Amino acid sequence: MTMLIKSVLGIAASLAFAANVLAADAGTAEEASALVKQGVAFFKANGKDKLLAEVANPKGQFVTKDLYLSVWDTKAKVLAHGANPKMAGKNIIELKDGDDKYFMKEIMAKAANPGSGWVDYKWVNPVSKDIQAKSAYFEKVEDVVISAGYYKK
């Protein structure tokens, strides 16, 4: 029986350690907004085509921890997606979150005026597979909207 208890405790300790490692790799609000600002600066220095290529690169500079950039046109058509390149070319204006909220419509409305901000929504966390609160920061620059989101704890 003592061996069973030790095994269970060992497994529990391993799971707790793994959860802490995953949590340590979770991006923050500050990191998400900094990533967007980095993307805006890259766009201004290198142009839209180079930004889209870099965002679409899964090993590029715009993928860090669990954060990545997404770039859309002003009608919510995905131009580049750092986590799922298959999204490119799709219009996601009608996309709803876990509470049936049209969060992309809210992002596009806010991006039009004043051009930057935060939108909260619920989305499936790819690590836990649970629907979790998420917040996306975005900035409009010329004819694109650049965004990164983080999962709230």
Side-chain angles (χ1 to χ4, degrees):
M1 190 61 125
T2 306
M3 189 62 130
L4 177 63
I5 292 171
K6 286 182 182 178
S7 295
V8 169
L9 290 176
I11 291 169
S14 296
L15 291 174
F17 176 76
N20 285 335
V21 168
L22 290 173
D25 285 345
T28 64
E30 295 78 17
E31 291 169 327
S33 64
L35 191 62
V36 170
K37 291 180 185 314
Q38 181 185 349
V40 169
F42 188 94
F43 175 93
K44 289 178 178 177
N46 300 289
K48 182 171 32 175
D49 290 340
K50 287 189 178 176
L51 172 69
L52 298 179
E54 188 64 15
V55 168
N57 178 359
K59 298 197 185 300
Q61 63 181 301
F62 298 119
V63 178
T64 181
K65 295 184 178 182
D66 64 345
L67 301 174
Y68 56 88
L69 287 184
S70 295
V71 182
W72 312 299
D73 70 10
T74 57
K75 305 268 193 237
K77 180 174 129 187
V78 179
L79 302 177
H81 195 286
N84 186 354
K86 292 178 183 177
M87 294 295 295
K90 295 184 180 181
N91 186 298
I92 58 172
I93 194 69
E94 297 293 327
L95 196 60
K96 294 191 277 186
D97 76 351
D99 289 337
D100 284 338
K101 175 183 176 181
Y102 288 99
F103 67 95
M104 284 305 300
K105 288 182 180 182
E106 184 177 348
I107 289 172
M108 290 298 124
K110 287 184 175 182
N113 187 16
S116 66
W118 289 93
V119 168
D120 294 327
Y121 58 102
K122 295 195 177 161
W123 204 247
V124 176
N125 184 318
V127 175
S128 70
K129 305 295 186 221
D130 294 327
I131 294 178
Q132 190 174 340
K134 188 171 183 176
S135 190
Y137 177 73
F138 57 89
E139 289 189 22
K140 181 178 176 245
V141 55
E142 295 185 19
D143 63 344
V144 300
V145 177
I146 302 169
S147 178
Y150 76 101
Y151 289 94
K152 296 181 173 186
K153 296 177 176 97

